[in-house]
Amino acid sequence: MRELKEIDIFIFNTLRNILYEKVPEYKVILASKENFKYSSEYNIYFFMNEFATYLASRIIEDTTSFFVKNSFEYINLLGQSDNCEVLNIVNIGILEILYTEEANSREWIKKNLSETLQLNFEAWSKYYR
């Protein structure tokens, strides 16, 4: 069981560190949040859900911000992975949240995703009609 937890920690740390590198503003935001509880649990899905929820609010505010631009670069970078776990994290942890955020334009989000991720994003329409 310890080995499996080590894998979870490795994935969490790797994806979090890449996020902080690509979107350094998010690290500052998390540091200022009193109730951010997932940093020590190494649950990458909760962490990415939190990121996607925050991104959705920023898209509403300003689609041209550096935060939004850099966030989509990060998402599209992860979408290039050959690792099934990373792709699942992107799909469930980020794309589903963005898809279900009704205040956002699904077409705008889709347009800013890579071709591969656009297909995954569109697939959510089967579940959320």
Side-chain angles (χ1 to χ4, degrees):
M1 185 66 165
R2 188 190 85 227
E3 292 86 359
L4 295 177
K5 186 65 175 172
E6 289 175 5
I7 292 169
D8 290 342
I9 293 169
F10 177 78
I11 291 171
F12 181 93
N13 286 335
T14 301
L15 297 184
R16 182 196 58 196
N17 291 343
I18 295 170
L19 174 61
Y20 290 169
E21 179 185 316
K22 296 288 184 191
V23 191
E25 178 183 351
Y26 193 63
K27 183 177 184 178
V28 175
I29 291 162
L30 290 183
S32 68
K33 287 182 84 173
E34 294 175 15
N35 294 324
F36 185 72
K37 56 187 170 195
Y38 301 119
S39 61
S40 63
E41 292 180 23
Y42 299 107
N43 188 317
I44 192 64
Y45 288 94
F46 288 143
F47 183 80
M48 289 300 177
N49 285 173
E50 183 91 8
F51 165 68
T53 300
Y54 185 77
L55 173 57
S57 70
R58 294 295 298 268
I59 291 169
I60 293 167
E61 291 174 19
D62 181 7
T63 58
T64 63
S65 73
F66 284 115
F67 182 89
V68 172
K69 178 186 169 290
N70 293 340
S71 294
F72 275 90
E73 287 179 10
Y74 171 72
I75 294 165
N76 288 323
L77 175 69
L78 295 185
Q80 294 174 23
S81 177
D82 293 329
N83 183 294
C84 292
E85 180 64 17
V86 171
L87 295 174
N88 193 53
I89 291 165
V90 172
N91 196 34
I92 304 296
I94 299 173
L95 297 183
E96 181 179 15
I97 300 300
L98 293 177
Y99 190 89
T100 59
E101 188 61 51
E102 293 180 14
N104 285 309
S105 164
R106 289 180 179 157
E107 284 304 311
W108 186 91
I109 292 170
K110 179 181 163 189
K111 177 181 78 170
N112 286 279
L113 293 171
S114 67
E115 208 172 296
T116 302
L117 292 181
Q118 287 179 8
L119 297 172
N120 293 354
F121 189 73
E122 285 178 346
W124 284 110
S125 66
K126 295 178 194 172
Y127 303 101
Y128 296 100
R129 292 183 188 242

